[in-house]
Amino acid sequence: MKPVRVCLEVGAKKVFASALDWPGWCRSGKTEEAALEALADYAGRYAPVPQRAGIAFPPRQGPDFDVVERVEGDATTDFGAPGAVAKADAEPMAKKEAERQAALVQAAWEVLDDVAAHAPASLRKGPRGGGRDRDKMLDHVDNAQDAYARKMGLAQEDRTRDGIVEALRAARKGDPMKDKGWPPRYAARRIAWHVLDHAWEMEDKSGNG
């Protein structure tokens, strides 16, 4: 397998390491080294996503990372979300790659659905992501999905899972689909990150992580 291309988003207090070609495989740490270590540690938890999508994934133990870009983070980064668009996010996509990205985003939603189906309604409280219970967490993900779809430039009737997936599948150019909107590659990794971050949070608070 080729080394995994990684972008580091460096804020004042937090660093996000994002696998550019694997939407949703993104973790943070206080330093670059800690973020990369967290990314490696989560390879096993991310593996069900490409498995559901029928895509070969790097080996669980010891993924080989290639840091191809560093971007400056901001308040969003330090708050706890990967908020910076990388130069790599502007890369155009061939049909096969666009379909691959869309399939991984769809699979991330399927992982969340599976976790939610096995999670209790009341989750353990604590610092891990706040105090939302299962249904409120799912509502939060749905509300964010609508906001993210707007950033993609989708009309209201298309701000559904299917609408987002179809838009990503049809994407070819790396340019945003609307003025000051999100490029498709960034949209894919930001949406999948948010979905999986809460799926893993739900697992942790259910005692299933």
Side-chain angles (χ1 to χ4, degrees):
M1 301 290 290
K2 294 181 179 179
V4 176
R5 298 194 309 155
V6 172
C7 173
L8 294 177
E9 180 179 328
V10 185
K13 299 178 181 179
K14 188 169 291 189
V15 178
F16 275 90
S18 298
L20 290 168
D21 301 310
W22 298 96
W25 190 16
C26 172
R27 303 316 295 160
S28 67
K30 292 184 178 180
T31 65
E32 293 186 8
E33 293 76 14
L36 288 169
E37 182 177 347
L39 191 67
D41 288 345
Y42 268 70
R45 292 188 85 169
Y46 183 75
V49 178
Q51 182 179 14
R52 284 174 180 268
I55 298 171
F57 185 62
R60 177 169 182 169
Q61 297 297 328
D64 185 13
F65 295 137
D66 179 16
V67 178
V68 298
E69 190 172 347
R70 285 175 174 82
V71 295
E72 183 177 354
D74 55 19
T76 300
T77 314
D78 291 330
F79 177 75
V85 177
K87 291 181 180 178
D89 291 321
E91 295 173 356
M93 291 186 285
K95 180 180 179 181
K96 184 177 180 180
E97 176 60 17
E99 291 177 346
R100 177 183 174 278
Q101 295 259 331
L104 289 167
V105 172
Q106 177 65 50
W109 275 314
E110 292 174 4
V111 167
L112 174 65
D113 290 344
D114 185 62
V115 171
H118 295 87
S122 296
L123 302 175
R124 289 200 303 264
K125 303 301 183 289
R128 175 67 174 90
R132 295 187 186 97
D133 284 322
R134 182 196 62 200
D135 293 346
K136 287 188 176 180
M137 195 181 299
L138 293 173
D139 287 343
H140 166 71
V141 173
D142 287 343
N143 290 335
Q145 171 186 304
D146 185 77
Y148 294 165
R150 290 200 304 270
K151 293 292 288 187
M152 292 175 65
L154 299 185
Q156 185 172 1
E157 62 270 19
D158 295 325
R159 295 173 197 162
T160 62
R161 290 185 181 185
D162 288 345
I164 290 171
V165 167
E166 286 306 312
L168 292 173
R169 186 176 288 127
R172 295 293 181 272
K173 296 180 179 179
D175 301 329
M177 289 178 270
K178 75 166 192 173
D179 186 41
K180 297 182 180 180
W182 285 352
R185 284 182 180 272
Y186 176 75
R189 66 185 181 90
R190 177 67 180 271
I191 291 168
W193 163 78
H194 191 248
V195 169
L196 291 175
D197 192 58
H198 285 296
W200 295 332
E201 175 191 350
M202 195 179 295
E203 281 186 330
D204 292 342
K205 290 184 173 181
S206 302
N208 299 326

